[in-house]
Amino acid sequence: MRKRTSPVLQVAVPAPLRRHFDYLAPPNVSEQQLTPGVRIKVPFGGRTHVGVLLATSDDSSVPAGRLKRAMALLDTTPVLPDDMLQLMTWASTYYQHPVGEVLQHALPVLLRQGRSASAPTVTVWRLAAGSTLDPDTMAQLHQRAPRQAALLESLQQAPDGLNAAQFSDLQWDWRAAMARLVDKGQVEAHTRSCLSEPGAAAAQPGPPLNDHQQAAVAAATGHLGEFEVCLLDGVTGSGKTEVYLNIIEQVIAQDRQALVLVPEIGLTPQLVARFRKRLASPPAVLHSGLTDQERLCAWLAARDGEASVVIGTRSAVFTPLARPGVFIVDEEHDVSFKQQEGFRYSARDLAIVRARRTGIPVVLGSATPSLESLHNAARARYRHLILPERAGAARPPALHVLDVRHRPMAGGISAPLLEAMQRHLTQAGQVLLFLNRRGYAPTLICHDCGWVGSCHSCVTHMTFHQGERRLRCHHCGAERKVDVQCPDCGSPDLRSLGVGTEQIEQSVREQLPDFVIVRIDRDSTRRKGAMDRLLTQVHEGHGQILVGTQMIAKGHHFPNVTLVGVLDADQGLYSADFRASERMAQLILQVAGRAGRAERPGEVLIQTHHPDHPLLQALINDGYHAFAEALLAEREETSFPPCSHLALLRAEAPGREAPLVFLEAARESAEALAADGVSLFGPLTAPMERRAGRYRAQLLLQSDQRAALHRLLARWAPALEALKSGRRVRWSLDVDPMEMF
Ligand code: ADP
Ligand code: ZN
Ligand code: ZN
């Protein structure tokens, strides 16, 4: 190392290496312009990359002659403020993920590509002032150009104009048709801020809060400007969202911003509409359906303080805020807050870390809090705010176990459940059947020779989808047509084993032909807008029986549903994953919470082969808290989280040996680092040994002390990068893993 006259730039480059890269400053750039957080265009491996400046330094470990010069400075002011830069650097260390890739998550696509971070606007289309839509012209247009006609008619209904988001449901290329209308002068395109929705009405007040809600709001807002974690633990319908809205109002009144994180499927148009209606300033919404331009727009509005409220899914935790006031994580137990690939962060956990670094409160809300959060609340690390009853007059549903042993099951439905369905339907109630398995059946087998429809790339059966006569692998996406005969012996006697939602729908249709059935799962909602159409159908009463997977468990309320059938509770009781029973209980209660209102409380029937299972009994008889306590005792005994901390090293390769060889070397390397207080388990083959054509294995690290685990990880990750056997596998490190395969 030697002193240099011009500064060395430490740049986070999007590359899979756990380090930053050094460059000389671009030509004609002064030292004052080199603020951390600005984007810099750099040469990297023969290509050009957009990196982020982390810091400048006087020296570099790269020899003078080999230091490359950066190509250009892209910003005059940092795109990422210092607090975000610090948070991302922290996250990169905590999750042991390359800082360059971590920073990618903090930037909208357009900024990653090097586009300018300019003022947020969106295009709004309006009917041109002079354009006439007399019936004759329109009739002609309908003949000649039906798409243009349709657009003109929508615009006619919207004097304030419409933006791209409002056309996003259309299945055809509306932009081309709109461009032609603009060319012809019939439509005008304007730009405006992406935030102000046309015709947004003034804020409407919510219901007066009940005592529990008031206490929760007072507790959460008592120390704005100080770090505290509040666990808002309230049954479904207890008015948690009203509590959030009241907290947000107070935060806005102090001229600060609120960031609200919700699970992917919880971010419904209904939720956004509710926030929009109740708050005076329109929220910036960040979700996966946005165009790159819309996303940049919302992101900049948040960063520059133009948006007082930001609502988003997992990655929104990285949205910079000019004046952060509170973070809210709704359904904090939801696994979708944990990213399961690449940069494996937990948005909930990062929200807490960010709140601590910022010095503001964070509110975690759930009807079924994670064991991690309950554990922290029990140890007084979190303030525990409880909403024990449903708001308004609605009463909670009653849960009952339905012992299905020895009972005939017609297409997954036992006779007592069918009777209950008939009873509720004749009383004009709606019925919701929940089964967390889509398709017709999880297995297709030949009754004559035993052939089973297996995936060629994974060690698993393919799911039978009868409607399309296809076998589909739900793990790798492979699919193939099913012949009427067995591919091995030619027998026509192919039978399905087990049930999925498609079969439930069919069997209910056969058994209760007089009622309309609506199925909601990933297959039935694949097309854009399908989910909303199906939900509307249910809400308007044009569907008495609702069959669905966990897609129906969140965010939606079905007030006319009086009976919920949980078709298979056993899935979660005996699983290799230690979190399976926690998930099952959460899903059962979430689904149960969809039902019932004041005058018609819901009934919940849970089909099981293990009616006496102690966890199920605790859940049914004593409720979620008793269940969680029993489960926590189990975790304590077995030393699983939250009573210990885990990291999982996964490896996969086309051959069986390579992952095990790498993991063995990884284990030796950990042992050589004197892993005091950390236990190593493995290498073991993954529960699904082969997936998408690759063999998988893993090594589990476990420790009672987080610090000990992280001390080891910090020294181990660079050692792993250096392992030769690592080049023959794809490997990843998962800190605080949520899935154990
Ligand atoms: P959660 O988010 O806990 O599921 P919500 O905030 O969505 O609960 O409230 C459930 C229903 O109860 C909503 O229709 C809401 O408007 C209503 N509600 C909430 N708080 C009150 C209250 N204090 N008085 C009357 N109705 C309320
Ligand atoms: Zn056969
Ligand atoms: Zn597969």
Side-chain angles (χ1 to χ4, degrees):
M1 280 193 213
R2 55 167 261 247
K3 279 274 183 197
R4 286 163 205 285
T5 41
S6 84
V8 172
L9 312 190
Q10 300 182 339
V11 182
V13 179
L17 292 168
R18 286 164 178 76
R19 43 178 284 223
H20 59 75
F21 293 87
D22 291 350
Y23 290 91
L24 294 171
N28 306 321
V29 168
S30 73
E31 221 162 308
Q32 290 82 333
Q33 290 172 286
L34 296 170
T35 331
V38 293
R39 290 172 302 156
I40 299 206
K41 214 180 237 186
V42 294
F44 190 88
R47 297 175 49 202
T48 306
H49 277 307
V50 175
V52 175
L53 180 64
L54 294 175
T56 55
S57 166
D58 284 338
D59 46 40
S60 167
S61 54
V62 180
R66 293 185 51 202
L67 210 49
K68 289 193 181 139
R69 192 169 285 286
M71 297 148 94
L73 180 68
L74 296 179
D75 302 299
T76 47
T77 54
V79 278
L80 279 176
D82 201 46
D83 63 328
M84 290 314 288
L85 218 48
Q86 305 281 341
L87 179 74
M88 305 309 283
T89 311
W90 182 91
S92 148
T93 310
Y94 182 87
Y95 290 107
Q96 291 299 333
H97 197 75
V99 66
E101 289 188 355
V102 168
L103 278 162
Q104 290 287 295
H105 282 264
L107 294 178
V109 172
L110 292 179
L111 296 187
R112 276 181 234 165
Q113 292 170 347
R115 304 276 206 88
S116 107
S118 57
T121 56
V122 289
T123 304
V124 178
W125 291 273
R126 248 180 251 156
L127 278 191
S131 94
T132 46
L133 302 182
D134 61 89
D136 281 354
T137 332
M138 283 307 286
Q140 274 181 14
L141 195 60
H142 266 293
Q143 290 288 327
R144 235 175 358 93
R147 293 178 170 185
Q148 293 181 27
L151 289 180
L152 283 178
E153 276 166 4
S154 320
L155 291 174
Q156 202 173 12
Q157 312 288 326
D160 290 321
L162 295 172
N163 62 33
Q166 287 153 310
F167 292 110
S168 62
D169 252 8
L170 298 181
Q171 302 287 327
W172 38 275
D173 183 9
W174 60 269
R175 283 182 191 273
M178 190 72 86
R180 245 160 283 138
L181 289 170
V182 172
D183 283 347
K184 289 196 286 187
Q186 284 179 296
V187 169
E188 291 167 355
H190 301 268
T191 52
R192 62 159 173 76
S193 156
C194 65
L195 282 186
S196 49
E197 275 296 309
Q204 290 172 19
L209 299 185
N210 63 35
D211 291 349
H212 296 294
Q213 288 172 311
Q214 276 178 26
V217 172
T221 56
H223 307 276
L224 290 177
E226 272 175 47
F227 170 65
E228 180 172 44
V229 186
C230 296
L231 177 61
L232 182 60
D233 179 349
V235 297
T236 317
S238 59
K240 294 184 293 297
T241 312
E242 285 304 323
V243 171
Y244 304 150
L245 286 163
N246 277 268
I247 294 171
I248 293 169
E249 276 168 0
Q250 298 199 27
V251 166
I252 295 178
Q254 295 200 356
D255 198 27
R256 298 232 202 173
Q257 295 168 283
L259 173 65
V260 183
L261 300 179
V262 295
E264 192 73 50
I265 49 183
L267 189 49
T268 58
Q270 290 84 336
L271 179 87
V272 175
R274 190 164 164 195
F275 272 70
R276 206 159 256 156
K277 203 166 80 186
R278 288 286 309 284
L279 300 170
S281 47
V285 184
L286 288 156
H287 60 83
S288 52
L290 297 180
T291 64
D292 292 344
Q293 180 64 32
E294 288 167 335
R295 175 166 284 270
L296 175 61
C297 202
W299 189 87
L300 288 171
R303 187 195 70 175
D304 299 337
E306 198 189 320
S308 300
V309 183
V310 180
I311 309 178
T313 48
R314 184 172 62 221
S315 64
V317 73
F318 302 121
T319 315
L321 298 170
R323 306 176 308 279
V326 71
F327 298 147
I328 292 169
V329 184
D330 188 28
E331 311 281 11
E332 64 86 26
H333 65 279
D334 198 284
V335 272
S336 78
F337 285 123
K338 170 89 183 187
Q339 174 137 311
Q340 310 277 12
E341 55 182 33
F343 172 30
R344 292 170 164 79
Y345 64 94
S346 156
R348 176 198 59 201
D349 295 351
L350 278 181
I352 296 168
V353 172
R354 188 175 168 189
R356 176 157 19 106
R357 300 173 73 95
T358 314
I360 60 170
V362 53
V363 179
L364 310 180
S366 176
T368 51
S370 62
L371 292 200
E372 279 79 0
S373 295
L374 285 174
H375 189 58
N376 280 321
R379 295 192 303 168
R381 287 180 164 199
Y382 295 177
R383 188 194 280 257
H384 203 168
L385 307 171
I386 299 179
L387 303 180
E389 53 210 34
R390 285 191 162 187
R395 272 173 292 148
L399 272 58
H400 302 284
V401 168
L402 218 166
D403 183 359
V404 296
R405 285 174 300 179
H406 312 299
R407 289 187 194 277
M409 305 281 283
I413 297 169
S414 63
L417 177 57
L418 189 68
E419 277 161 37
M421 289 172 68
Q422 280 162 328
R423 183 158 36 84
H424 282 262
L425 290 166
T426 49
Q427 290 164 7
Q430 286 177 319
V431 172
L432 188 161
L433 298 180
F434 168 71
L435 178 64
N436 211 8
R437 203 189 291 125
R438 66 196 167 88
Y440 187 83
T443 305
L444 190 67
I445 189 167
C446 169
H447 193 58
D448 284 328
C449 77
W451 168 90
V452 174
S454 301
C455 178
H456 300 317
S457 313
C458 310
V459 191
T460 187
H461 300 164
M462 292 173 101
T463 301
F464 179 44
H465 291 255
Q466 195 183 47
E468 303 139 294
R469 294 276 321 159
R470 291 187 93 79
L471 284 172
R472 259 196 210 117
C473 175
H474 287 184
H475 299 280
C476 73
E479 55 175 79
R480 57 181 193 263
K481 195 103 186 109
V482 179
D483 288 326
V484 281
Q485 289 165 346
C486 169
D488 272 8
C489 74
S491 157
D493 198 358
L494 294 179
R495 298 189 184 181
S496 60
L497 296 182
V499 283
T501 45
E502 189 188 343
Q503 186 171 164
I504 299 294
E505 180 188 10
Q506 183 189 321
S507 88
V508 172
R509 185 161 290 139
E510 282 161 11
Q511 299 179 74
L512 300 168
D514 298 336
F515 299 96
V516 178
I517 303 156
V518 176
R519 172 162 63 93
I520 295 186
D521 57 26
R522 222 155 16 111
D523 298 317
S524 72
T525 57
R526 215 170 283 278
R527 292 165 125 227
K528 211 168 179 192
M531 176 84 171
D532 273 343
R533 267 195 299 282
L534 292 173
L535 287 173
T536 309
Q537 193 182 339
V538 177
H539 284 298
E540 290 176 352
H542 305 309
Q544 293 86 39
I545 303 170
L546 180 58
V547 177
T549 56
Q550 61 173 334
M551 284 186 84
I552 53 171
K554 287 164 203 166
H556 312 286
H557 190 58
F558 305 107
N560 285 322
V561 167
T562 53
L563 174 67
V564 171
V566 175
L567 298 179
D568 181 6
D570 299 341
Q571 274 178 312
L573 293 176
Y574 297 94
S575 163
D577 185 343
F578 72 90
R579 283 198 175 87
S581 40
E582 178 184 353
R583 300 255 173 78
M584 181 46 71
Q586 288 165 342
L587 269 173
I588 289 177
L589 292 188
Q590 299 277 330
V591 176
R594 303 299 113 213
R597 59 177 182 191
E599 65 277 27
R600 320 177 82 172
E603 180 183 358
V604 181
L605 296 180
I606 302 168
Q607 296 195 144
T608 176
H609 290 89
H610 305 280
D612 301 323
H613 194 290
L615 285 176
L616 199 54
Q617 282 297 326
L619 182 67
I620 305 294
N621 298 330
D622 308 313
Y624 184 74
H625 288 117
F627 164 86
E629 244 166 65
L631 207 49
L632 265 173
E634 234 182 74
R635 301 262 181 103
E636 186 92 54
E637 212 154 281
T638 51
S639 268
F640 270 118
C643 305
S644 75
H645 308 282
L646 303 180
L648 194 60
L649 178 65
R650 297 185 179 89
E652 54 171 58
R656 194 189 296 260
E657 285 306 312
L660 293 169
V661 170
F662 165 71
L663 292 173
E664 199 55 61
R667 186 185 170 118
E668 280 166 21
S669 142
E671 281 164 349
L673 290 169
D676 279 350
V678 180
S679 313
L680 303 164
F681 299 93
L684 293 169
T685 53
M688 185 185 291
E689 191 191 0
R690 201 162 65 103
R691 179 168 168 170
R694 306 175 78 88
Y695 287 89
R696 298 139 21 100
Q698 57 196 33
L699 179 66
L700 182 67
L701 279 66
Q702 185 234 43
S703 177
D704 292 346
Q705 300 144 34
R706 189 178 282 296
L709 180 62
H710 278 267
R711 263 198 309 276
L712 174 63
L713 290 176
R715 292 179 297 151
W716 195 41
L720 292 176
E721 272 187 356
L723 283 180
K724 269 212 189 81
S725 51
R727 295 191 204 129
R728 283 192 294 275
V729 301
R730 208 189 274 161
W731 63 268
S732 64
L733 200 48
D734 191 347
V735 178
D736 305 332
M738 290 302 285
E739 309 275 6
M740 301 307 287
F741 50 79

